[in-house]
Amino acid sequence: MSTADPLVTLGALPTVADSVDSVRKAVDRVYGHRVMRRRSNEITSEAALRGARGSAALAGADWALEEVRRRSDFSGDDDARTVGAALRLTAEAGQLLSIWRQSPLRVLARLHLVSAGVQDDTVGRPRRNGEPVVEPLVELPLPDADEVAGRLDGLAQLIIKGSSAPAIVTAAVVHGELLALRPFGAYNGLVARAAERIVLIGSGLDPKSVCPAEVGYAELGRAAYVAALDGYASGTPEGMAAWIGHCAKAVELGARESTAVCEALQRGAA
């Protein structure tokens, strides 16, 4: 794109501007709820749990919410490890805000380490050529290690420099770029969604983390998620706008979910 800030150009597209406005109204509704003024910590905790469940569902571990809530051991099988990784990432994301704007690559490495739950020489660093990638949901062509390194550096510089683009635009681009690159051997989707969450919190759009986009992605479905990601990967303004719109809709649905939790608490039903 011709501008020095491509995110601003994306944010100016009419369809994106409509999505930005719709997201802001949805977020304002949940933050304006009377329960948020008294019990915001409970809403944040519940949003974290539901967001982790949604992210794990997108990764193939589609557990019922109550199963996620009651379990304490997540080491049994691949699905359990995926759910455990999603829960750990949700808890970790809020602790990394101060580092994100100065060193986003350090944060991504930390997120991968947390998601993997083990330490070996492939964890917490971008993959090298020839190393396998396990990300069954994403079937885009896999960039080689040199391209990954270059694009990660470009993404990091974009974050460090900052942008005047709306937060949902930045968050969607971070999310989409990490999914397209799949820089790690596994858990790239979980890491990408956690990074999006960090952007949404740190930007001030959702400072209390009560609008879990992961809930929305799960509700919209894996097929819609993959189709929207294909639009991002196309690099066309229309395709990228469609991806941003998808991400925006997911945040709206996450906000709606937390509004429903507020209503339930107000009625004494939760």
Side-chain angles (χ1 to χ4, degrees), residues 23-249:
V23 164
R24 172 49 66 189
K25 289 177 180 176
V27 172
D28 285 348
R29 278 194 294 273
V30 67
Y31 274 86
H33 199 285
R34 61 187 300 180
V35 169
M36 277 292 293
R37 294 194 290 272
R38 297 178 287 110
R39 304 174 71 174
S40 64
N41 288 342
E42 292 175 66
I43 308 302
T44 295
S45 295
E46 187 65 18
L49 184 73
R50 295 178 184 223
R53 193 217 74 83
S55 192
L58 282 173
D62 193 0
W63 287 12
L65 179 63
E66 292 310 313
E67 177 69 6
V68 178
R69 196 189 303 279
R70 75 170 187 83
R71 287 282 286 266
S72 58
D73 181 4
F74 297 96
S75 61
D77 55 29
D78 286 346
D79 281 1
R81 284 189 286 273
T82 296
V83 174
L87 288 166
R88 291 192 300 273
L89 283 172
T90 301
E92 187 77 8
Q95 310 302 314
L96 298 171
L97 294 173
S98 62
I99 306 172
W100 175 252
R101 289 182 179 173
Q102 285 74 42
S103 187
L105 297 184
R106 278 182 57 200
V107 170
L108 293 175
R110 174 64 184 170
L111 291 174
H112 188 241
L113 181 65
V114 168
S115 65
V118 297
Q119 291 189 336
D120 64 40
D121 65 356
T122 68
V123 172
R125 63 158 176 81
R127 58 183 168 80
R128 297 167 185 152
N129 283 327
E131 291 181 340
V133 174
V134 180
E135 200 67 49
L137 182 61
V138 181
E139 297 182 353
L140 296 170
L142 194 65
D144 66 25
D146 289 340
E147 182 178 350
V148 168
R151 287 173 63 176
L152 280 179
D153 185 63
L155 184 64
Q157 292 306 312
L158 193 65
I159 294 162
I160 293 167
K161 181 181 177 182
S163 173
S164 59
I168 188 62
V169 174
T170 304
V173 168
V174 168
H175 182 173
E177 189 71 354
L178 291 173
L179 272 182
L181 292 177
R182 284 147 291 162
F184 304 111
Y187 299 115
N188 289 287
L190 296 179
V191 169
R193 292 184 286 275
E196 179 185 61
R197 167 61 33 209
I198 290 171
V199 174
L200 294 173
I201 298 169
S203 68
L205 177 63
D206 183 19
K208 294 182 183 294
S209 193
V210 296
C211 303
E214 302 92 339
V215 168
Y217 293 126
E219 183 173 337
L220 292 167
R222 298 177 86 196
Y225 187 73
V226 170
L229 179 63
D230 285 345
Y232 176 85
S234 75
T236 66
E238 296 79 12
M240 297 186 76
W243 168 250
I244 294 167
H246 187 77
C247 295
K249 182 62 177 177

